[in-house]
Amino acid sequence: MTKDINQVTPYNSESSKKSQVEDMFDNIAPKYDLLNHVLSMKIDVLWRNKLVKWMNYDNPKETLDVATGTGDLAIAVEKGTGAKVVGLDLSQQMLNVGVIKIKKLNLDGKISMQKGDAENLPFEDNRFDAVSVAFGVRNFENLNKGLSELRRVVKENRSVYILEFSKVEGFLGPFYMFYFKNILPAIGRLISKDNRAYTYLPDSVNAFPFGEKMRQILLDTGFKKVEYKKLSLGIATIYKATK
């Protein structure tokens, strides 16, 4: 039986999921970008660009990137839309890597980074023209609470964009799951030296609702319209949820 996504945690400890996720990303932060691009063969860059292209139709002036990590999506949003971006993440070590990247690109006047909790966002209602999350909602301790917070801080008639792993269906599904559950964790452990981080990844993806299930969850959260696009045979999906 598949676990509820809120119950899937990185480590077998008594700590809360939120605390474990923070520890995990602090641990792997120095190798995170390298691993991301190696394990996805840089397809993740194309996925982010597709999200930004979709967001650009809204012509946003100020956006929030939740679970920003080292800032890859925040940087892509700024470059693709010209919007000012606030990047927020639970892991200070990930943010530290992101701040260095942003300074190197001379974008520190356009992108600000701050530590914070996605389920208790430190922003007023209806603040942002768009909100984005890439590969972060799986890590929320309480999925519904986190999605409600994303909805709260985006303006009326504006959208939240979520890029998240889903499951490859059809005849390629078993081959992809073999890679995801066996080869990917082995490479992740070798490079990151964290024995659990890249085992947690397939576990959390396996438990995460995707496609129509995720669309219904977003509608139940209060969004008035939800669209989604499958990417790369369903490895990932972009959801656009409009308030």
Side-chain angles (χ1 to χ4, degrees):
M1 183 177 174
T2 303
K3 277 188 178 181
D4 182 280
I5 185 60
N6 297 329
Q7 298 172 329
V8 177
T9 57
Y11 306 110
N12 296 318
S13 79
E14 296 300 314
S15 303
S16 67
K17 178 174 180 177
K18 195 172 294 182
S19 175
Q20 292 182 52
V21 166
E22 182 177 0
D23 288 346
M24 178 185 72
F25 282 111
D26 280 346
N27 289 342
I28 65 175
K31 302 287 187 182
Y32 180 79
D33 285 340
L34 171 65
L35 272 164
N36 232 14
H37 298 324
V38 167
L39 293 173
S40 71
M41 295 171 282
K42 285 206 169 184
I43 298 171
D44 63 310
V45 176
L46 299 176
W47 294 341
R48 288 186 184 89
N49 288 340
K50 283 183 180 293
L51 185 154
V52 172
K53 192 174 180 181
W54 204 0
M55 183 189 288
N56 204 23
Y57 288 112
D58 293 347
N59 192 27
K61 298 294 182 281
E62 185 182 29
T63 75
L64 172 66
D65 185 41
V66 173
T68 195
T70 63
D72 277 350
L73 182 55
I75 292 165
V77 167
E78 193 286 325
K79 286 184 172 180
T81 69
K84 282 199 166 187
V85 185
V86 177
L88 178 137
D89 201 275
L90 200 58
S91 166
Q92 187 61 54
Q93 296 306 316
M94 294 283 278
L95 290 168
N96 292 346
V97 175
V99 166
I100 293 167
K101 282 162 64 173
I102 287 162
K103 282 183 177 173
K104 281 182 179 175
L105 293 166
N106 295 315
L107 292 175
D108 36 333
K110 300 279 189 72
I111 303 171
S112 62
M113 302 283 265
Q114 69 182 78
K115 183 173 166 58
D117 179 0
E119 294 165 51
N120 296 283
L121 293 172
F123 308 108
E124 65 271 23
D125 297 358
N126 306 303
R127 159 83 181 268
F128 296 98
D129 300 312
V131 175
S132 59
V133 191
F135 311 113
V137 294
R138 281 178 300 108
N139 301 321
F140 290 173
E141 187 169 79
N142 184 313
L143 178 60
N144 291 332
K145 188 177 181 188
L147 295 176
S148 295
E149 277 291 272
L150 304 181
R151 182 183 176 278
R152 180 181 67 77
V153 300
V154 77
K155 291 177 180 175
E156 292 285 343
N157 299 310
R158 294 302 190 112
S159 301
V160 172
Y161 293 83
I162 296 168
L163 171 58
E164 191 51 86
F165 287 113
S166 41
K167 290 181 190 172
V168 178
E169 297 177 296
F171 75 97
L172 286 174
F175 298 101
Y176 179 70
M177 282 311 296
F178 178 82
Y179 166 77
F180 213 47
K181 288 186 75 70
N182 297 283
I183 298 170
L184 182 149
I187 297 170
R189 280 193 296 272
L190 188 68
I191 298 176
S192 74
K193 309 302 182 188
D194 188 308
N195 287 332
R196 180 67 185 136
Y198 288 87
T199 305
Y200 165 73
L201 175 59
D203 287 351
S204 60
V205 170
N206 196 44
F208 191 75
F210 66 98
E212 281 300 309
K213 283 186 180 178
M214 184 59 175
R215 179 177 175 273
Q216 192 57 53
I217 288 170
L218 287 161
L219 289 170
D220 291 345
T221 304
F223 291 98
K224 66 181 182 183
K225 182 182 179 184
V226 180
E227 306 161 76
Y228 63 91
K229 296 178 180 178
K230 291 183 179 182
L231 307 173
S232 304
L233 302 173
I235 296 174
T237 304
I238 304 171
Y239 303 88
K240 177 183 179 180
T242 303
K243 183 171 174 178

